[in-house]
Amino acid sequence: MAQQKPLSLIAIVAITRTNGLGVNGQLPWRLSREMAHFRKATSAVGENEGSKMNAVIMGRKTWQSIPPKFRPLKGRVNVVISRQSGKEAEKELGISPEEHSHLVSSLDAAADLLGSSSTPSIYRTFLIGGAQLYKEAMERERSQSWSLDKLMITRIHSPAFEECDVFLPEFRTSDQIKEDERFAGIGNDEPAIGKLKPLPEQKWSAASDQQFDQFMGGPVSHGIEEEKDVRYTFQLWDRKE
Ligand code: FOL
């Protein structure tokens, strides 16, 4: 089939001040309003988009971390990436195209699948983890087949969740890190900042509150949320140039 326009990916992730995102194959927290933001962001389709659906791409370990009663994530086309694909692996993982879940062996194959007619017409595509796939997508140059264009970040200001054992690669410059810390009311001399490896040049820029609302199709909280003594902020970042 003829090459179509590159698939635009949006990574969505909740991360600590030091970019921690998971521990022991699970999320380090259980935050119901934060999860509601995830569900809404990944499910919502623009008005006038007819019968389009969104897609979520995830790695095999992330698929297995979702409680069985919630997977496949409903109302979204689920695409799972594993080096072991095929009918056997599908069966083992409980993946079936009839339920809008698909097993493929790479990000490129996921992009091909979503650009083909074997799935409903797709509005937005979210990369939902885990750490290995976020890293691969962030490090890859734009290609014919797909590009990572937005980061929908939930920044968890406190507590530190120091037990995290997997991380998102740093995507901010030192000024951008300082701005996040200032927003959260954290001093620049606090230890977490010293552990980070800021980018020498801006690769991502923070969207304005208005741009974020527009992207979500309605107002988003732009302040500091608090849930079970966890403080966090919703953000949207755009890839520069
Ligand atoms: N991004 C953000 N912002 N927060 C997250 O928790 C998150 N989690 C993942 C990827 N990106 C994220 C991966 N982990 C479910 C469970 C784990 C998971 C992703 C989704 C899940 O069960 N979701 C259901 C809602 C469940 C509920 O309401 O409690 C869904 O329908 O989306």
Side-chain angles (χ1 to χ4, degrees):
M1 207 207 278
Q3 183 61 57
Q4 296 170 326
K5 74 169 177 331
L7 185 73
S8 176
L9 297 187
I10 305 153
I12 182 166
V13 64
I15 48 178
T16 66
R17 287 172 65 204
T18 54
N19 306 320
L21 64 91
V23 62
N24 298 327
Q26 292 291 329
L27 298 175
W29 42 77
R30 171 134 190 90
L31 303 169
S32 61
R33 276 185 288 123
E34 205 293 311
M35 187 55 84
H37 170 77
F38 169 89
R39 191 184 338 107
K40 184 170 177 217
T42 57
S43 303
V45 171
E47 291 172 40
N48 314 316
E49 295 296 337
S51 58
K52 285 190 182 174
M53 276 174 94
N54 289 337
V56 290
I57 299 178
M58 72 195 92
R60 189 263 303 165
K61 292 179 191 169
T62 296
W63 170 263
Q64 289 179 309
S65 80
I66 297 172
K69 65 174 172 184
F70 289 125
R71 71 183 195 226
L73 296 178
K74 65 168 188 267
R76 291 147 283 182
V77 175
N78 289 229
V79 182
V80 180
I81 299 179
S82 170
R83 281 182 194 88
Q84 272 200 44
S85 56
K87 284 279 163 295
E88 239 351 70
E90 276 182 18
K91 209 171 139 202
E92 209 167 286
L93 292 167
I95 290 169
S96 77
E98 300 76 59
E99 294 176 72
H100 292 313
S101 53
H102 303 263
L103 186 61
V104 296
S105 59
S106 67
L107 270 171
D108 288 313
D112 286 348
L113 175 79
L114 292 171
S116 77
S117 50
S118 34
T119 60
S121 194
I122 301 299
Y123 176 58
R124 286 175 178 162
T125 303
F126 292 86
L127 181 62
I128 69 162
Q132 273 181 49
L133 278 181
Y134 290 134
K135 181 172 192 291
E136 182 182 342
M138 289 169 76
E139 287 178 352
R140 189 95 71 92
E141 293 302 315
R142 278 204 177 81
S143 78
Q144 291 279 313
S145 93
W146 59 270
S147 66
L148 180 64
D149 295 331
K150 290 182 188 293
L151 304 175
M152 196 174 282
I153 301 285
T154 298
R155 179 64 66 180
I156 298 186
H157 308 300
S158 65
F161 292 101
E162 305 220 44
E163 65 275 24
C164 286
D165 58 11
V166 282
F167 297 82
L168 193 77
E170 185 53 75
F171 63 91
R172 301 164 297 174
T173 62
S174 97
D175 283 352
Q176 290 174 321
I177 293 171
K178 285 177 190 153
E179 175 54 23
D180 273 344
E181 302 271 299
R182 188 203 59 75
F183 188 88
I186 302 166
N188 286 335
D189 53 348
E190 295 214 18
I193 205 165
K195 295 184 200 159
L196 301 174
K197 297 217 167 27
L199 300 184
E201 273 172 84
Q202 271 201 27
K203 220 176 148 206
W204 296 88
S205 57
S208 68
D209 293 354
Q210 191 206 324
Q211 287 169 325
F212 196 3
D213 290 348
Q214 199 164 340
F215 187 79
M216 290 286 279
V220 180
S221 153
H222 302 297
I224 294 178
E225 293 290 304
E226 222 174 315
E227 191 174 0
K228 295 205 269 188
D229 292 321
V230 179
R231 297 168 66 250
Y232 59 85
T233 302
F234 300 128
Q235 304 177 330
L236 180 66
W237 296 74
D238 288 291
R239 190 172 155 142
K240 293 197 79 167
E241 104 256 4

